[in-house]
Amino acid sequence: MTPSGPRAGDAPGRHAVTEERLRAALAARAALVTYRDLRREEPPRGRSRGTRRVRGLVLAGLGSVAAAAAADAVCF
């Protein structure tokens, strides 16, 4: 682990320059954010929630059948 304090060969204002550059970069990035980026998306439409629920139940069922088959194969 390296120490985070100033070292013998460092310029005295090195950290200040780095902080200025980081602040400028963050400010430039923040300027790119618009109202549309912060707006909520519209809720999903249709039956996608029901489809996901059925898919989850089917996968859970297949998993339990596979686990039972593996346990049966080990026991016999």
Side-chain angles (χ1 to χ4, degrees), residues 20-51:
E20 282 182 38
R21 291 179 68 190
L22 284 172
R23 286 182 186 270
L26 289 172
R29 181 70 176 177
L32 297 176
V33 177
T34 64
Y35 172 75
R36 289 185 181 145
D37 297 328
L38 300 176
R39 198 173 59 178
R40 291 184 182 169
E41 294 183 8
E42 293 194 23
R45 297 181 187 181
R47 300 180 64 184
S48 64
R49 182 175 172 168
T51 305

Side-chain angles (χ1 to χ4, degrees), residues 5-24:
R7 289 177 263 171
D10 289 346
R14 179 175 158 224
H15 293 292
V17 172
T18 302
E19 185 173 347
E20 282 182 38
R21 291 179 68 190
L22 284 172
R23 286 182 186 270

Side-chain angles (χ1 to χ4, degrees), residues 44-60:
R45 297 181 187 181
R47 300 180 64 184
S48 64
R49 182 175 172 168
T51 305
R52 284 188 212 134
R53 185 177 296 161
V54 170
R55 187 183 317 154
L57 289 173
V58 168
L59 288 175

